[in-house]
Amino acid sequence: MTTTTKTKRKNIKLRVFNIENTSITNDFNDLKGDLLKKLKHTTLKDRGMLLNKESPSKETDLIAYYDSYKNCLFGAVIRTKLAAETSQMSDDLMRENKIALSTLKQLSSDSQVVIRSYFFAMSKNYIVANIPGSCNITSFEVYINWLLNRLDNPVRILPKITKVELENIKGFKGLRFKETTTEKGTNTTDVTNDIKVKSVKDVGIEAAKVLFKHLFQGKDNPNLDEIMKENSLTVDFFLKFAPKNKKQNKEIQIAQILKTINTTDGIYIETKKGTIPLGDTEHKIDIQVELTESNFISENELSQKMIEELNDLENNDN
């Protein structure tokens, strides 16, 4: 009697991004084509971008694998650092045009350690990628502009906003930050540029401590640190937006906020109709991909599904 083995599947969340031209005078309609041309004529060493030349770990971003289709480009991005026992990557490996997907997992056993990896697919107007939610797209944008020497005319990559939420965010008033504090100094949201969530939370908690001490001074009550450890304190802040340009595109505004943060947990969009979790506004796609017996994903199925999603996005624009 033969036994059938159930096919294992892995859930993968794809994030969708818009490709935008920041130049008013120059128009480039084929970022995908320019990138493919660059990839075909470079080795891994040529396209490895050091994050910081002075860093001893030599963290480097590079597209390690790519493949082209009729209207799309599929690839794998890795971030490596030097292994403790070596000072440089294998010369033979660095002279290669790309690394076979099957060997990407084995790279850590050689001279470099892969500390992050993800797949992407690019069409004329969109990028889909399984980049983790704890990472933003900025590092990929910086890498592409560096690789294609677009520093004077950079491409901008922004998270795509779901059509369902586009109507709701027209009444966008600001951001509301809600956090139940369990431990002093714990902050999971890191925001750059104009929104400093970590600072806001720290200031708020310290202010709450001062107020709590003033209200209950001399009374037999637990201190605020004890209450915080018991999940009893919720910090709630509202950051109001008053843009100089009243006609500013709300979709772009929300996309820029999504782009700068590493997590949307505890962040809500305040609108005239109520609050919307910030994470719900980002266009995401859930897919399932087959796993091999060794628990590796089927890259062929992944690339096909990512390209199908890109084609759907492009067709819906027409």
Side-chain angles (χ1 to χ4, degrees), residues 18-282:
N18 292 310
I19 300 172
E20 298 192 0
N21 184 4
T22 58
S23 173
I24 299 175
T25 57
N26 295 320
D27 181 33
F28 53 88
N29 294 319
D30 194 19
L31 177 69
K32 168 184 60 66
D34 289 347
L35 181 57
L36 177 59
K37 188 184 300 183
K38 187 73 172 182
L39 292 172
K40 284 182 175 179
H41 295 92
T42 54
T43 64
L44 298 179
K45 184 176 181 179
D46 295 333
R47 56 178 182 263
M49 184 187 75
L50 276 173
L51 272 64
N52 189 309
K53 293 180 180 179
E54 304 301 322
S55 172
S57 62
K58 302 297 181 186
E59 289 187 34
T60 302
D61 283 349
L62 64 127
I63 294 176
Y65 173 84
Y66 67 91
D67 205 350
S68 60
Y69 299 85
K70 182 179 179 180
N71 299 312
C72 301
L73 172 67
F74 175 75
V77 179
I78 63 173
R79 174 170 292 182
T80 66
K81 70 176 182 178
L82 291 176
E85 68 279 0
T86 185
S87 59
Q88 62 180 2
M89 197 169 182
S90 163
D91 289 339
D92 290 339
L93 185 60
M94 292 304 290
R95 282 193 287 266
E96 296 294 330
N97 176 257
K98 55 185 174 181
I99 306 172
L101 285 173
S102 59
T103 65
L104 279 178
K105 299 287 185 181
Q106 302 169 8
L107 186 60
S108 295
S109 64
D110 296 321
S111 58
Q112 293 212 3
V113 177
V114 176
I115 56 177
R116 189 171 80 189
S117 65
Y118 58 89
F119 294 97
F120 74 92
M122 178 185 295
S123 61
K124 177 181 177 181
N125 298 299
Y126 297 102
I127 294 170
V128 294
N130 68 330
I131 185 170
S134 59
C135 304
N136 58 45
I137 195 65
T138 304
S139 61
F140 183 73
E141 179 187 271
V142 169
Y143 175 73
I144 294 299
N145 285 318
W146 170 85
L147 183 62
L148 298 180
N149 196 24
R150 290 192 184 274
L151 302 182
D152 294 328
N153 181 27
V155 63
R156 181 170 67 173
I157 303 172
L158 290 175
K160 181 174 173 59
I161 306 301
T162 61
K163 289 183 177 180
V164 176
E165 298 297 353
L166 280 179
E167 287 297 317
N168 293 331
I169 64 174
K170 285 183 178 178
F172 175 49
K173 295 160 59 179
L175 295 180
R176 186 167 296 280
F177 304 94
K178 298 180 180 181
E179 179 184 340
T180 300
T181 307
T182 58
E183 185 178 347
K184 182 179 178 181
T186 298
N187 288 286
T188 56
T189 303
D190 180 22
V191 178
T192 56
N193 297 337
D194 296 331
I195 310 168
K196 303 295 184 183
V197 178
K198 186 172 182 179
S199 299
V200 171
K201 288 178 179 176
D202 287 343
V203 171
I205 292 172
E206 292 305 317
K209 287 182 180 180
V210 173
L211 179 61
F212 189 88
K213 184 177 180 180
H214 174 75
L215 291 174
F216 296 99
Q217 188 173 16
K219 298 181 181 180
D220 188 17
N221 285 286
N223 63 45
L224 189 56
D225 284 333
E226 293 176 356
I227 292 179
M228 288 163 65
K229 289 178 181 178
E230 295 173 0
N231 296 329
S232 301
L233 177 68
T234 298
V235 181
D236 189 345
F237 290 100
F238 178 66
L239 187 61
K240 186 176 181 180
F241 280 75
K244 294 179 181 179
N245 181 5
K246 298 294 183 180
K247 295 182 180 181
Q248 186 177 7
N249 188 315
K250 300 298 183 183
E251 181 180 3
I252 297 296
Q253 198 172 8
I254 297 298
Q256 288 172 334
I257 293 169
L258 282 167
K259 181 179 177 179
T260 60
I261 63 177
N262 292 331
T263 177
T264 57
D265 293 345
I267 307 178
Y268 300 81
I269 295 175
E270 189 84 7
T271 71
K272 294 177 180 179
K273 297 181 180 180
T275 58
I276 305 168
L278 179 60
D280 289 357
T281 64
E282 185 177 0

